Amino acid sequence: NSTDGTQSYLKSLKWICFIANKKNLGFSGGCNQGAKVARGDVLLFLNNDTEAQKSWLEPMLEALKNEKVAVAGSKLLFPDGLVQHAGVAIANDHIPRPIYYRESADKAYVNKEREFKVVTAACMAIKKGAFEEVGGFDEVYKNGMEDVDLCLKVFHQGYKIIYCPKSIVVHH
């Protein structure tokens, strides 16, 4: 329900399906609503406070070509260029944490494609079939942990979740 001209701009784009809600459904509710009307085989969740960098989408789509991979996530950077997200690790205390948080984005270990149990939905591509198989985002989560829950459900179905460091998105 933006008041900054976003709605009129989006309505002018003939290649998108614009949905306006009278109330805020939360991240999970809005994503589920969009997923229901999406026609492609891959769903892309991308926060509205992000700036996708050149060639950001291709690495995620490439990872999803593997039949065992259901989810691909980007390297998220803060506007100052430091890492915000390069995969999520779950420690013995069961608390999910983004690894390499505030590290330099050019470190070799930050730029290694690898498998995780969780990536963030601030920028996440997921096969629509896998999303539907696990019931999408649990709408009990309004803004936080819904991506962790979704990824863990996908992981427990036997799919892989891949962090794609060549997919770079700035997250404000």
Side-chain angles (χ1 to χ4, degrees), residues 21 25-35 137-139 141-142:
N21 294 313
L25 303 178
F27 182 81
S28 54
C31 288
N32 286 340
Q33 182 184 38
F137 287 106
D138 186 334
E139 294 183 26
Y141 300 101
K142 295 300 179 194

Side-chain angles (χ1 to χ4, degrees), residues 50-62:
T50 58
E51 293 178 56
Q53 304 300 294
K54 185 177 181 180
S55 302
W56 67 283
L57 185 56
E58 292 82 358
M60 291 192 298
L61 295 176
E62 187 64 31

Side-chain angles (χ1 to χ4, degrees), residues 31-45:
C31 288
N32 286 340
Q33 182 184 38
K36 285 179 187 167
V37 300
R39 294 184 304 243
D41 295 330
V42 174
L43 302 171
L44 176 73
F45 299 106

Side-chain angles (χ1 to χ4, degrees), residues 47 49-53 168-172:
N47 281 18
D49 60 345
T50 58
E51 293 178 56
Q53 304 300 294
I168 302 170
V169 174
V170 175
H171 190 198
H172 294 274

Side-chain angles (χ1 to χ4, degrees), residues 156-167:
H156 288 296
Q157 288 299 316
Y159 295 107
K160 293 183 178 187
I161 297 155
I162 301 295
Y163 161 66
C164 302
K166 291 181 180 174
S167 173

Side-chain angles (χ1 to χ4, degrees), residues 46-141:
L46 182 65
N47 281 18
N48 63 345
D49 60 345
T50 58
E51 293 178 56
Q53 304 300 294
K54 185 177 181 180
S55 302
W56 67 283
L57 185 56
E58 292 82 358
M60 291 192 298
L61 295 176
E62 187 64 31
L64 292 175
K65 287 181 180 178
N66 181 326
E67 66 182 38
K68 294 180 181 182
V69 175
V71 177
S74 293
K75 174 169 58 177
L76 298 179
L77 303 179
F78 287 108
D80 65 6
L82 295 178
V83 172
Q84 183 184 68
H85 169 273
V88 175
I90 301 175
N92 290 339
D93 62 5
H94 307 290
I95 297 174
R97 293 181 179 86
I99 64 168
Y100 311 131
Y101 187 79
R102 305 238 20 110
E103 294 268 349
S104 174
D106 62 357
K107 299 287 187 185
Y109 49 83
V110 172
N111 291 293
K112 180 181 178 188
E113 183 175 292
R114 63 183 84 201
E115 193 176 329
F116 282 96
K117 289 183 182 176
V118 176
V119 293
T120 183
C123 184
M124 169 194 288
I126 182 170
K127 291 178 180 171
K128 188 173 184 182
F131 184 82
E132 291 172 341
E133 182 180 333
V134 300
F137 287 106
D138 186 334
E139 294 183 26
V140 73
Y141 300 101

